[in-house]
C-alpha cells in the first residue's frame, strides 16, 4: 500500500550496474552493499583491492563480476554463493589457486583466470558443464585435467603461455569447440584425436616444439585459421589438403624444405606465410590457390618462381625477399591486382616487361639485386615507390630512357643502376646462414642415422654419406647430400639440398677438412667466450715494438695490464719522494721507439715494485688493513679517475732516470685537482689535535675579518638532539591516499641505524599528511590506537590503508634543544 515513489534520487535503490574501474580503490566501497538485492553487474577492474570481505558475497544476484588487474591474494570459498553468476573475470591478479567450491557456480559460462600463478586446476572445475569460454593464459599450468572433455559446451579454450607438454585424449570430446589456442607451450607432439573436433575453426599452435602434424588434421573440414609458426616442422602431411575451409596458414620459422602438392586443394586460402624456412622449390600447384591475397616467402632458398604464379589473380602482396632468385617469370604479369611486389636481396639481373600489366602496382622493391636497367613498360604504372638501393633517400628517382645495348629494347636507367648486388652486411648474413645450415644439416643427418633401425655402426653409416657441390659463374654454390645406402632411398628426405653464397675458393670447413671428415665433428658451442692466449715459453726472447697507449680496459682486466702496474709503482714512488711525470703526450709518442719492449718492461716494473714494498714494509701494513673499506666507499670515483691518472703519469725505467734527474724542470708535477686524493696523514694523536686546533683558529680569524658573528657556548651547554613524542591528526578526503611513504619494520632493512621501527621516508607537501605536519624521519608509533613499534612492514601498510578518513598518528621526532640560553652574540 505504502510504496516508495521514486520522486527523489535518494529513494532510488533499483541499481543493476556499477562501474568502479580505475578508481584507485584499496577496498570494496561500502555503498555497493546497499544494492545487494538488485545489483547484477559489477566492474572493479584496475584497482588495488587485495581481498574480498564477507559482506561482498551477499550480492546474491550478481550475473557478471569483473575484478581483473587488482592485487587479489585469495579467492574465498564463499564464491559458491554466486549461484546466478554467469561471467567471472579474475585475470591479472596474484591468485595462487582456484577454490574447489567454484563447482557450485552452475550458471558460469565465461571464466578468465589468465595472468595468475595457478599451477593446477581444481577437480571441481570440470563440473561446470555450462562453460562456453575459458581463458587460462599465462598461469604456469603444467597439465590439463584428464576429464577436460566433460566441458561439452565449450566453444573457446585459451591455454597460451603455459608449460603444457602433452594433451589429454579426452580433448576430442569437445565437439562444440571452435577456437583452441595452445601457443607458446612446450608441446612436442599432437594427439591423433585432435582431428576429431568437427566444429574447430581456429587452431593456434605457434611457439612450441612440434616436429610433425598428425595426418588426422586433415579431418578438420571447418578449420579456417591454422598457425604452426615457430616450431620444428620439417614437412607437412599430404592430408593438409583436406582443410577445404582454410583461409589463413602460418608456417613461419620452421625447417620446411618443400610444400606438399596437395596445398593446391586449398581453394579458400587467402594468406600463406612460409617465411624463414628452407624452401628450395615452390610447388607449381600453388597456382591452384586462386584466392590467395598475400603470399610471404621471405628468407628461403628459392631459385625460381613457378610460372603458375600468374594464376593468382587476387594476390595483392607478394614478398620473396632474401632468397636466391635468378629470374622472375613473365607470367607475373597475370597478377593483375598486385599492389606490392618485393624482391629485395636476390640475384636478379633483369625484370620482365610484363610488369607493365600490373595496373594496381604502387610499390616495387628490387634493392640488393644485380639489375642493369628496368623495363620501359613500368612507365605506364602509377608507382608510388621504387626502391633500388638500401640507402635510397626518396621513394622515387628520375629515370632516363635508353636503348639496351644487348637486346636493343627501350629501357629505363638512373644513377642507382646498374646495381652492385647485395650489400656487404647482407653478404655476411648469407655467409653466416650458409654455415649455420651446414651445422643444422649435420645434426639432422646424424639424428636420422642414429634412429635408423639396422645393425650398422654409426661410423659405417656416416661413411655412406657423399657431398656433391657445384659453383656457377656468379659465385653461387649449391650442393646435395646424397645417402648412398640403398636402404635410405625410400625415405622422403633421402636428398637434402643446400644452396648459399660462398666464394669459389672458400671451403665449408676453415681448417681444410673435407665434408666427410666434418660429419664426425660435434656441433660447435655458440656460447660467447673471451679467451686469453697463454704466452709461449720462448715469448720473452722475441723482440717486439708493440706498445699500447691510452686504451680503455674493463675494470676486471686492469690488474693484467702493465699500465696498471706502472700506476702502482708511481704510487709507491710518491711515498718515497721520487715521482717522475711526463711533460706531454707528444714526448711519450716520440720516445716509443727507444723504450724497452713491453715484456721486458713488465718484468722491470715488477722488480721495482718489490723493492719499494720492502722499503715501506711498516706503513704499508697499516694502509692495507684499511684498503677494503676505502675501496668500497670510493669505488666509482677511483674508476672515473683512472683514465686521467694514466694520461698524466708515466713510469720511466732505470735507464732513463739519470737523464731525467739532470733536468729539474721536467720533475715538476702538474697541479691536477685529484693528485692528492686519498693521501693519508700518519700523525699521532697530539700532532693531529694541534693540526685541527690550528685549522679552527685560522677559520675563526678569517670569519672575524669578514664580520661574521659567532655564538659561543660553554663546555656542556652545547645544543643536543632530543626525541619528542607528538600526536597529529590527518584529514583524508575519500578516495585519496595519505601522501606518505614508509620504510623499515621488524625483519626489514632498518631505515635508521639498527632501529627496526617504522619511519616516514617521503612526504608530499600537498598531501593530507604533509598538511598535518608529518615530516621525513618521523618514527611512526601508533595509528588510530594501533601500536606499530614492533610491527612488520606489510602490517604497517595495511594499517595505514585501512585507517579511514580521519587518522590519528603518534610519531617520535628528533628536535634540537638548548640546555642553556646562549650568551649575547659578540661581534668583532
Amino acid at each position: 500500500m505504502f510504496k516508495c515513489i521514486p520522486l527523489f534520487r535518494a529513494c532510488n535503490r533499483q541499481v543493476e550496474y556499477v562501474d568502479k574501474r580505475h578508481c584507485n580503490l584499496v577496498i570494496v566501497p561500502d555503498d555497493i552493499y546497499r544494492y545487494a538485492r538488485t545489483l547484477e553487474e559489477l566492474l572493479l577492474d584496475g584497482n588495488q583491492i587485495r581481498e574480498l570481505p564477507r559482506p561482498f558475497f551477499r550480492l546474491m544476484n550478481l550475473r557478471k563480476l569483473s575484478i581483473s588487474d587488482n592485487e587479489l591474494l585469495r579467492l574465498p570459498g564463499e564464491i559458491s554463493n554466486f549461484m546466478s553468476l554467469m561471467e567471472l573475470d579474475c585475470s591479472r591478479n596474484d591468485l595462487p589457486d582456484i577454490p574447489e567450491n567454484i563447482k557450485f557456480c552452475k550458471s558460469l559460462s565465461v571464466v578468465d583466470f589468465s595472468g595468475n600463478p595457478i599451477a593446477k586446476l581444481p577437480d571441481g572445475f570440470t563440473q561446470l558443464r555450462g562453460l562456453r569460454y575459458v581463458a587460462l593464459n599465462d598461469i604456469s599450468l603444467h597439465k590439463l585435467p584428464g576429464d577436460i572433455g566433460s566441458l561439452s559446451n565449450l566453444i573457446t579454450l585459451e591455454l597460451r603461455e603455459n608449460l603444457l607438454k602433452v594433451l589429454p585424449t579426452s580433448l576430442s570430446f569437445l565437439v562444440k569447440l571452435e577456437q583452441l589456442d595452445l601457443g607458446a607451450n612446450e608441446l612436442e607432439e599432437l594427439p591423433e584425436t585432435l582431428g576429431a573436433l568437427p566444429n574447430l575453426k581456429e587452431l593456434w599452435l605457434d611457439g612450441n616444439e612440434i616436429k610433425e602434424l598428425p595426418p588426422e588434421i586433415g579431418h578438420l573440414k571447418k578449420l579456417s585459421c591454422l598457425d604452426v609458426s615457430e616450431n620444428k616442422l620439417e614437412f607437412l602431411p599430404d592430408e593438409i589438403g583436406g582443410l577445404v575451409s582454410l583461409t589463413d596458414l602460418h608456417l613461419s620459422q620452421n625447417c620446411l624444405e618443400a610444400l606438399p602438392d596437395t596445398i593446391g586443394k586449398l581453394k579458400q586460402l587467402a594468406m600463406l606465410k612460409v617465411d624463414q624456412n628452407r624452401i628450395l622449390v615452390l610447388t607449381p600447384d600453388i597456382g591452384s590457390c586462386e584466392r590467395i591475397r598475400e603470399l610471404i616467402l621471405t628468407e628461403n632458398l628459392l631459385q625460381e618462381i613457378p610460372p603458375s604464379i600468374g594464376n593468382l589473380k587476387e594476390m595483392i602482396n607478394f614478398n620473396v625477399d632474401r632468397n636466391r632468385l635468378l629470374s622472375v617469370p613473365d607470367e607475373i604479369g597475370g597478377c593483375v591486382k598486385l599492389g606490392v611486389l618485393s624482391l629485395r636481396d636476390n640475384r636478379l639481373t633483369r625484370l620482365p616487361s610484363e610488369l607493365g600489366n600490373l595496373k594496381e602496382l604502387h610499390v616495387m622493391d628490387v634493392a640488393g639485386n644485380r639489375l642493369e636497367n628496368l623495363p620501359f613498360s613500368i612507365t605506364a604504372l602509377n608507382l608510388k615507390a621504387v626502391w633500388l638501393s638500401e640507402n635510397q633517400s626518396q621513394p622515387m628517382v628520375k629515370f632516363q630512357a635508353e636503348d639496351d645495348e644487348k637486346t636493343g629494347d627501350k629501357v629505363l636507367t638512373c644513377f642507382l643502376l646498374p646495381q652492385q648486388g647485395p650489400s656487404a652486411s647482407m653478404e655476411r648474413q648469407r655467409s653466416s646462414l650458409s654455415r649455420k645450415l651446414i651445422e643444422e644439416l649435420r645434426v639432422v643427418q646424424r639424428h636420422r642415422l642414429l634412429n635408423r633401425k639396422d645393425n650398422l655402426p654409426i661410423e659405417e653409416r656416416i661413411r655412406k654419406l657423399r657431398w656433391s657441390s657445384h659453383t656457377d659463374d656468379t659465385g653461387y654454390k649449391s650442393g646435395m647430400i646424397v645417402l648412398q645406402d640403398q636402404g635410405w632411398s625410400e625415405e622422403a628426405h633421402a636428398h637434402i639440398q643446400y644452396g648459399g653464397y660462398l666464394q669459389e675458393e672458400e671451403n665449408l670447413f676453415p681448417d681444410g677438412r673435407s665434408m666427410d671428415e666434418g660429419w664426425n665433428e660435434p656441433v660447435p658451442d655458440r656460447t660467447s667466450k673471451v679467451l686469453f692466449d697463454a704466452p709461449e715459453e720462448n715469448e720473452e726472447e722475441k723482440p717486439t715494438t708493440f706498445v699500447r697507449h691510452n686504451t680503455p680496459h674493463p675494470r676486471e682486466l686492469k690488474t693484467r695490464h702493465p699500465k696498471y702496474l706502472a700506476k702502482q709503482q708511481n704510487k709507491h714512488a710518491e711515498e718515497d719522494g721520487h715521482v717522475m711525470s711526463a711533460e706531454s703526450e707528444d714526448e711519450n709518442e716520440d720516445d716509443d721507439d727507444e723504450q724497452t719492449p713491453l715484456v721486458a718492461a713488465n718484468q722491470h716494473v715488477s722488480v721495482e715494485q718489490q723493492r719499494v714494498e720492502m722499503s715501506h714494509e711498516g706503513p704499508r701494513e697499516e694502509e692495507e688493513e684499511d684498503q677494503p673499506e676505502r675501496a668500497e666507499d670510493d669505488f666509482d670515483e677511483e674508476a672515473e679517475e683512472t683514465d686521467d691518472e694514466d694520461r698524466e703519469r708515466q713510469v720511466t725505467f732505470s735507464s732513463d732516470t739519470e737523464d731525467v734527474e739532470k733536468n729539474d724542470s721536467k720533475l715538476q708535477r702538474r697541479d691536477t685537482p685529484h693528485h692528492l686524493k686519498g693521501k693519508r696523514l700518519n700523525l699521532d694523536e697530539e700532532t693531529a689535535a694541534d693540526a685541527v686546533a690550528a685549522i679552527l683558529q685560522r677559520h675563526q680569524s678569517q670569519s672575524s675579518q669578514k664580520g661574521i658573528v659567532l655564538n659561543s657556548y660553554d663546555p656542556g651547554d652545547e645544543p643536543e638532539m632530543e626525541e619528542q613524542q607528538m600526536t597529529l591528526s590527518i584529514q583524508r578526503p575519500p578516495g585519496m591516499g595519505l601522501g606518505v611513504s614508509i620504510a623499515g619494520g621488524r625483519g626489514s632493512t632498518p631505515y635508521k641505524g639498527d632501529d627496526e621501527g617504522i619511519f616516514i621516508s617521503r612526504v608530499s607537501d600537498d598531501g593530507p599528511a604533509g598538511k598535518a605536519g608529518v615530516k621525513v624521519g618521523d618514527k611512526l608509533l601508533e595509528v588510530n590506537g594501533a601500536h606499530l613499534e614492533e610491527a612488520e612492514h606489510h602490517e604497517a601498510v595495511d594499517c595505514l590503508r585501512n585507517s579511514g578518513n580521519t587518522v590519528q598518528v603518534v610519531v617520535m621526532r628528533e628536535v634540537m634543544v638548548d640546555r642553556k640560553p646562549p650568551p649575547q652574540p659578540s661581534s668583532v
Side-chain angles (χ1 to χ4, degrees):
M1 180 176 178
F2 299 96
K3 293 184 179 180
C4 181
I5 303 175
L7 296 177
F8 302 96
R9 186 178 181 87
C11 298
N12 186 10
R13 299 300 182 200
Q14 303 297 323
V15 177
E16 300 178 355
Y17 173 85
V18 173
D19 187 353
K20 292 287 185 179
R21 290 177 291 184
H22 304 285
C23 292
N24 199 24
L25 298 176
V26 178
I27 59 175
V28 179
D30 295 337
D31 55 353
I32 291 181
Y33 306 138
R34 303 174 186 174
Y35 319 127
R37 297 181 179 181
T38 60
L39 189 61
E40 296 184 358
E41 188 170 347
L42 177 59
L43 308 181
L44 297 172
D45 309 89
N47 288 286
Q48 302 173 17
I49 300 174
R50 303 191 66 180
E51 62 178 354
L52 299 177
R54 287 190 176 182
F56 181 81
F57 298 97
R58 298 174 185 172
L59 307 175
M60 307 293 292
N61 294 322
L62 271 183
R63 299 173 62 87
K64 179 179 180 180
L65 172 61
S66 183
I67 193 169
S68 63
D69 292 286
N70 277 273
E71 301 176 4
L72 288 180
L73 300 175
R74 188 176 69 91
L75 190 61
E78 288 83 357
I79 190 72
S80 59
N81 294 346
F82 296 150
M83 303 295 294
S84 302
L85 192 63
M86 300 181 63
E87 299 183 20
L88 175 62
D89 186 358
C90 296
S91 58
R92 294 178 295 279
N93 280 277
D94 296 323
L95 299 175
D97 52 25
I98 301 175
E100 180 70 24
N101 289 349
I102 199 173
K103 62 184 178 181
F104 296 110
C105 301
K106 299 296 184 179
S107 300
L108 271 179
S109 62
V110 177
V111 169
D112 190 350
F113 284 100
S114 303
N116 287 279
I118 301 174
K120 183 181 178 182
L121 295 178
D123 296 336
F125 189 82
T126 55
Q127 299 182 20
L128 301 174
R129 305 300 171 83
L131 283 177
R132 298 170 60 86
Y133 174 88
V134 174
L136 301 172
N137 303 312
D138 189 20
I139 63 170
S140 304
L141 197 62
H142 288 78
K143 65 177 181 178
L144 293 175
D147 56 345
I148 189 70
S150 302
L151 305 176
S152 55
N153 292 315
L154 203 59
I155 295 179
T156 299
L157 178 59
E158 297 182 4
L159 299 168
R160 176 171 291 272
E161 296 184 41
N162 282 283
L163 303 173
L164 298 176
K165 294 185 177 180
V166 294
L167 297 176
T169 56
S170 63
L171 200 67
S172 60
F173 298 148
L174 305 177
V175 293
K176 295 183 179 181
L177 193 64
E178 296 182 0
Q179 289 91 23
L180 177 59
D181 190 350
L182 296 168
N185 278 275
E186 299 178 1
L187 299 173
E188 295 183 359
E189 60 180 2
L190 299 175
E192 300 177 355
T193 55
L194 188 64
L197 302 174
N199 292 304
L200 193 63
K201 295 181 179 180
E202 298 180 11
L203 178 58
W204 305 86
L205 299 169
D206 55 292
N208 282 278
E209 305 290 331
I210 302 173
K211 297 181 179 179
E212 60 178 351
L213 296 177
E216 290 76 10
I217 198 171
H219 299 160
L220 304 177
K221 303 299 181 181
K222 293 185 178 181
L223 191 66
S224 61
C225 179
L226 174 61
D227 190 344
V228 207
S229 57
E230 299 181 45
N231 279 276
K232 297 182 179 180
L233 294 177
E234 297 182 3
F235 67 94
L236 294 178
D238 293 337
E239 288 78 5
I240 199 170
L243 305 177
V244 294
S245 301
L246 195 65
T247 59
D248 296 357
L249 179 57
H250 302 265
L251 302 169
S252 306
Q253 300 184 39
N254 279 280
C255 303
L256 297 174
E257 299 171 4
L259 296 178
D261 295 340
T262 54
I263 200 170
K265 298 180 180 179
L266 305 179
K267 303 298 183 179
Q268 304 297 325
L269 192 62
M271 177 184 294
L272 176 59
K273 292 187 176 181
V274 205
D275 54 292
Q276 300 186 46
N277 279 272
R278 304 172 186 171
I279 304 296
L280 295 165
V281 179
L282 186 61
T283 173
D285 293 276
I286 193 69
S288 301
C289 305
E290 298 179 353
R291 294 194 177 183
I292 283 186
R293 297 175 60 86
E294 188 171 354
L295 179 57
I296 309 297
L297 299 169
T298 310
E299 294 186 34
N300 281 281
L301 302 175
L302 291 172
Q303 297 187 28
E304 61 179 1
I305 300 174
S308 59
I309 197 74
N311 298 335
L312 306 181
K313 309 292 184 181
E314 302 293 328
M315 186 166 59
I316 297 177
N317 185 6
F318 184 35
N319 193 319
V320 206
D321 292 345
R322 292 182 288 280
N323 275 267
R324 311 291 186 260
L325 292 180
L326 300 174
S327 62
V328 177
D330 297 342
E331 289 78 6
I332 191 71
C335 304
V336 292
K337 291 188 178 181
L338 191 62
V340 178
L341 175 60
S342 188
L343 303 169
R344 175 182 289 260
D345 292 323
N346 281 277
R347 305 178 58 228
L348 301 173
T349 57
R350 62 173 295 273
L351 294 178
S353 59
E354 284 74 11
L355 290 178
N357 299 331
L358 306 178
K359 302 301 182 182
E360 301 293 331
L361 188 65
H362 56 273
V363 175
M364 183 172 66
D365 189 350
V366 290
N369 284 276
R370 301 178 182 178
L371 296 173
E372 297 183 358
N373 48 56
L374 298 180
F376 185 79
S377 58
I378 67 172
T379 57
L381 305 179
N382 187 21
L383 288 171
K384 304 297 183 183
V386 177
W387 300 102
L388 300 174
S389 175
E390 62 178 356
N391 57 357
Q392 182 176 332
S393 60
Q394 299 293 331
M396 292 294 294
V397 295
K398 293 183 179 181
F399 294 93
Q400 295 84 31
E402 295 182 359
D403 293 333
D404 191 357
E405 298 179 355
K406 298 179 180 179
T407 62
D409 297 335
K410 201 170 185 179
V411 294
L412 295 177
T413 184
C414 68
F415 70 97
L416 294 175
L417 296 175
Q419 295 175 330
Q420 301 299 322
S423 60
S425 60
M426 190 62 196
E427 287 290 353
R428 288 193 296 269
Q429 179 181 355
R430 285 177 171 173
S431 179
S432 175
L433 177 62
S434 301
R435 286 169 175 77
K436 181 180 179 181
L437 285 173
I438 287 296
E439 295 171 6
E440 292 180 353
L441 288 173
R442 183 160 60 234
V443 175
V444 171
Q445 286 302 324
R446 182 177 299 166
H447 174 73
R448 293 175 181 170
L449 287 168
L450 289 172
N451 291 339
R452 186 182 175 194
K453 297 179 180 179
D454 58 15
N455 296 324
L456 288 177
I458 183 62
E459 293 80 4
E460 183 68 20
R461 300 179 193 168
I462 293 177
R463 281 196 294 270
K464 294 181 179 295
L465 298 177
R466 178 172 57 84
W467 167 261
S468 62
S469 63
H470 169 70
T471 304
D472 58 15
D473 54 352
T474 61
Y476 180 79
K477 191 167 186 176
S478 61
M480 180 179 295
I481 301 171
V482 183
L483 303 177
Q484 295 179 346
D485 192 356
Q486 299 297 327
W488 288 76
S489 59
E490 297 180 357
E491 292 194 10
H493 297 277
H495 297 72
I496 297 183
Q497 297 182 356
Y498 160 76
Y501 281 99
L502 295 173
Q503 298 296 332
E504 187 171 358
E505 66 276 3
E506 184 178 0
N507 191 2
L508 292 174
F509 296 94
D511 54 358
R513 292 168 296 149
S514 63
M515 174 60 68
D516 295 334
E517 296 174 355
W519 290 105
N520 294 320
E521 184 187 45
V523 178
D525 187 10
R526 293 180 173 85
T527 306
S528 301
K529 298 180 181 179
V530 178
L531 301 178
F532 297 93
D533 296 333
E536 299 179 358
E537 297 179 357
N538 57 350
E539 186 177 358
E540 300 178 358
E541 302 177 359
K542 297 180 180 180
T544 177
T545 60
F546 177 78
V547 179
R548 185 187 299 274
H549 289 284
N550 298 330
T551 305
H553 292 271
R555 296 175 181 173
E556 61 269 20
L557 299 180
K558 282 201 170 183
T559 55
R560 303 173 182 262
H561 197 264
K563 188 178 294 185
Y564 182 75
L565 297 177
K567 184 168 71 68
Q568 288 186 346
Q569 181 188 6
N570 204 358
K571 178 180 178 182
H572 302 326
E574 179 180 338
E575 296 176 0
D576 199 17
H578 301 286
V579 179
M580 292 168 286
S581 60
E583 280 289 324
S584 62
E585 294 294 335
D586 297 337
E587 295 181 4
N588 295 337
E589 295 176 0
D590 296 337
D591 296 336
D592 286 345
D593 298 335
E594 299 177 2
Q595 288 182 354
T596 310
L598 186 59
V599 177
N602 295 342
Q603 295 176 356
H604 182 74
V605 169
S606 61
V607 173
E608 290 292 324
Q609 181 178 357
Q610 294 177 2
R611 182 182 63 80
V612 174
E613 289 178 355
M614 293 176 61
S615 63
H616 296 80
E617 188 172 356
R620 289 285 296 173
E621 293 178 357
E622 298 178 1
E623 185 174 352
E624 289 176 358
E625 293 176 359
D626 299 336
Q627 186 68 18
E629 297 180 1
R630 187 174 65 85
E632 182 178 359
D633 296 339
D634 300 335
F635 181 79
D636 295 336
E637 297 179 2
E638 291 183 0
E640 294 175 357
E641 296 171 359
T642 303
D643 295 338
D644 295 335
E645 293 179 359
D646 291 342
R647 283 196 295 268
E648 298 190 5
R649 299 183 184 180
Q650 182 182 12
V651 175
T652 58
F653 301 94
S654 58
S655 60
D656 302 332
T657 306
E658 298 177 358
D659 298 337
V660 175
E661 290 178 352
K662 294 178 181 179
N663 190 357
D664 296 337
S665 62
K666 294 185 178 181
L667 295 178
Q668 296 178 0
R669 179 195 298 276
R670 295 180 182 178
D671 294 331
T672 53
H674 59 274
H675 77 281
L676 292 178
K677 178 182 181 298
K679 186 174 181 180
R680 296 176 57 87
L681 298 175
N682 297 324
L683 304 176
D684 54 12
E685 296 182 359
E686 296 181 359
T687 307
D690 295 339
V692 172
I695 293 173
L696 293 176
Q697 184 177 2
R698 184 169 60 254
H699 177 73
Q700 184 174 3
S701 62
Q702 292 176 357
S703 302
S704 300
Q705 295 175 2
K706 296 179 181 179
I708 300 176
V709 180
L710 301 176
N711 294 329
S712 59
Y713 294 89
D714 295 333
D717 294 337
E718 294 86 357
E720 297 180 357
M721 299 300 294
E722 183 179 83
E723 292 184 345
Q724 293 185 0
Q725 185 171 316
M726 302 180 180
T727 302
L728 304 175
S729 179
I730 304 174
Q731 298 296 329
R732 174 170 57 180
M736 287 187 59
L738 294 174
V740 297
S741 297
I742 62 174
R746 182 166 54 87
S748 302
T749 303
Y751 177 78
K752 181 179 181 181
D754 297 332
D755 193 343
E756 292 188 347
I758 304 296
F759 288 87
I760 303 297
S761 61
R762 185 180 64 84
V763 178
S764 177
D765 296 337
D766 298 333
K771 295 178 180 179
V774 179
K775 296 183 179 180
V776 175
D778 289 351
K779 182 178 180 181
L780 200 57
L781 302 180
E782 295 181 12
V783 175
N784 289 343
H787 295 276
L788 300 179
E789 296 181 359
E790 299 294 332
E792 296 182 359
H793 184 82
H794 69 91
E795 295 175 348
V797 173
D798 294 339
C799 186
L800 288 173
R801 285 182 175 177
N802 302 325
S803 57
N805 297 332
T806 301
V807 187
Q808 297 290 335
V809 297
V810 179
V811 299
M812 184 73 72
R813 181 180 300 172
E814 290 185 350
V815 296
M816 181 178 293
V817 296
D818 292 341
R819 298 299 181 185
K820 179 181 179 181
Q824 294 295 329
S826 60
S827 59
V828 179

